[in-house]
Amino acid sequence: MLEQLWLWIIAVPMAFITSLLVKRAIYAKSRPDIALVLYLLVTMASMFGGAVIYLLSPSLTSIIEALGFNAILMIGGAIVLLHNYAERSLDEEIRKISISNSEGDSTENSVQLAQQHAAVHSLSVSLRASVIFLILLNEFLMGWAFVLASGASTQIVLSTFTKVVGSDWFIFTMVLEMIFSVYMLRHDLPKSFFIIVLAQSVVMFFAPTALNNSNWVTYSIYLGSIAMIGLLIYIYEYLFKNKIITSAIRTYFLALLAMYAMMMAGIFVWIIQGSALLFVLSILGEMILYFGLILSKNSIESSKSRSWLTDPWWVFGFMGLTFVAEYFMGALIDMQYYGSSFISGITASLAPISGSVITQIGAVFYNFIIYFGSVTASPWFLIMMGAEMGALVVFKITITRELETKIRLLLVIAAYFIYSIFLPSFVFSSNIASIPFLGWSMGVGTAGAVAPVFLGAILATYLITGVLSFLFGARQTCSVFCTAALMYQGTFPDSMSVFNRTSKLGKKLLTSRMSNLYKVVSSIAIGSIIIAAVVSYLNSVGIISFTFFGTDIVYFLYIFYFNFLWYIIFISIPFVGTYGCVTTGYCHIGLFNQFVSRIGFFRLKVKDPMQCVNCETKDCAKACPVGLTDLPGNFIKSGQFRSHKCIGVGDCVSACPYENEYFYDVRGWFRQKLGMGTSGTQSRPHLPIIGRPGHSSISKSAALNKVEHTHP
Ligand code: SF4
Ligand code: SF4
């Protein structure tokens, strides 16, 4: 214990000195400056390297070897340093050439100048890489020396590497270096990056490999996940507020997410198989990323900027990597909460890979979907995802104007946690399938066949949702009870609705019309569910005998559609657009409710169609996350909008600059019958449009033409 204390007394100042050297490297103006930093880093490395040589095999010989090793590195470093001091700095030389060039020197000097500039640039990149390499080497050697000094015996190269990088000596010292260096740079880093780096250091601190203690493993997974979720929420909100970002930020975020995906997968592999290699590689990767960022901190703000919304592949990569990180995070939390039975239960349900080639391919596909879906359907994955996406919905509530939409968004959060997670997973988990609506599983029952005992509950679910959709529109399902509402309606995902208008596929799915693609997809979705339900029923009552590798076909289809495909469509927003489940028509329960809604009371109305005629922004159409760009045309034609694809999100109502639009459903119908007016809960005064700068009045028919011609 006392030894550990002494070692930490050495490690903490070392971390501080390394941070000082990093700061010095950042502000180095000449080659000698940077050479000094390198020399000091080499000196530190040689000191710890010598200690490792001795501790691996303590003897007089190893002391001599260690001293020799130290002497070679220190003398070699000193020669390089003195050589650099003897040279004039490169910057000075360039300045001299510049002066002579500006005085009318020859082209030869211009070429020389360009070459020197190139040299400075390449020098700075290579020197940055050298600084990063030496910092990591330093940490590695110090960690190795301290691991040995703590009594561990490490002989095999790979296990030494993973043991050292995964140890408290390496990880906690790195955390200290991150905190020290970011504190020293606090005035020079943009505030957002100061917060991001601090959060990164917290995530790194909760490395489960750092301490050999089972409680630490459990709590570090919980707390590290919370820290990572917090950081991701911060990054989402940052992106929502900063649509134009530099290429350096884009690269950093993508690389950070790649490291986090690797980190979570690495912890998963470590817990399942005992190998920490993937995890420690992610730690090293994150450190390289971090030091690379602060050593070229100017590029955070000065590199080329553009909107991330114009880069679908970047967004796809960002969302895909986020998903991978969260997938493994969810699995890890489930494993901590439910114990090893969580994974062994999944593994036990997998199909053996044997038989004909077709059977083997089927088994691989089945196993992949079951493994994937078992995690995405698990309570802790949903809780973790809900906390993250729910925070973005809370942010959305704070910027939403309409009280009705605010209340709906609050209901979205409540429904997600109470109705979709708490009650089914923690209260009624044993008999959930027989409780109508609650155990709905998109209207196919829960985790089982369409058995006679559940048939009543399934039919009652359709009846309940159908009645609600008839009275209030499909929004009771698609914009409140379905988990999709939480996923799509936070600030960050909502800002991606622009992809509905710009992606190739999104353009095909715009407006209320049913494109051929929509007809094909929705027919397959409905057809497959109906056929599977019939097969499942016949199988349950013993008329036929058919399962898919031992799993009921409806249940498998449910996992495939909603625990696998749903997430693929979600991370493909840049290519499909937002609310892909509605725009493609691939969700059978959504289709059912949307068509019932179309014949029910629900619609959008405007107080004054002439205001839409004169409206130049048509903001309602731009705001719709489903891509219903034919809203204004319908308002002008009939003062209302009815579409089976309208799921009552309400962004169009919020977006109307004249506060002209409002919801109408059975409550409006009653008000109308009672002579209380029809404008629903949206009873704000009209904003006068006359006199708005740049506003011109146009006739109703001209406006109609204009609107309709702009639609695909
Ligand atoms: S279409 Fe289906 S998945 Fe999408 S929001 Fe509606 S019920 Fe949910
Ligand atoms: S509802 Fe509002 S935003 Fe939409 S066309 Fe009418 S006035 Fe313009």
Side-chain angles (χ1 to χ4, degrees), residues 440 442 477-478 482 484 562 566 579 581-582 587 589-590 594:
W440 76 324
M442 317 305 277
T477 302
C478 297
C482 180
F562 297 104
W566 198 94
Y579 260 116
C581 50
V582 178
C587 168
I589 189 86
Q594 288 152 22

Side-chain angles (χ1 to χ4, degrees), residues 605-606 608-609 611-621 631-633 635-636 652 655-661:
K605 284 191 170 195
V606 287
D608 179 6
Q611 210 144 40
C612 300
V613 173
N614 290 315
C615 175
E616 285 190 339
T617 63
K618 307 289 188 265
D619 281 342
C620 54
L631 281 159
F635 289 150
I636 292 167
C652 53
C656 174
Y658 308 103
E659 301 183 349
N660 190 27
E661 188 186 335

Side-chain angles (χ1 to χ4, degrees), residues 350-369 548-549:
L350 300 181
I353 316 286
S354 58
S356 68
V357 176
I358 300 288
T359 312
Q360 286 189 32
I361 293 172
V364 169
F365 171 70
Y366 170 85
N367 289 349
F368 174 72
I369 297 299
F548 193 55
F549 292 100

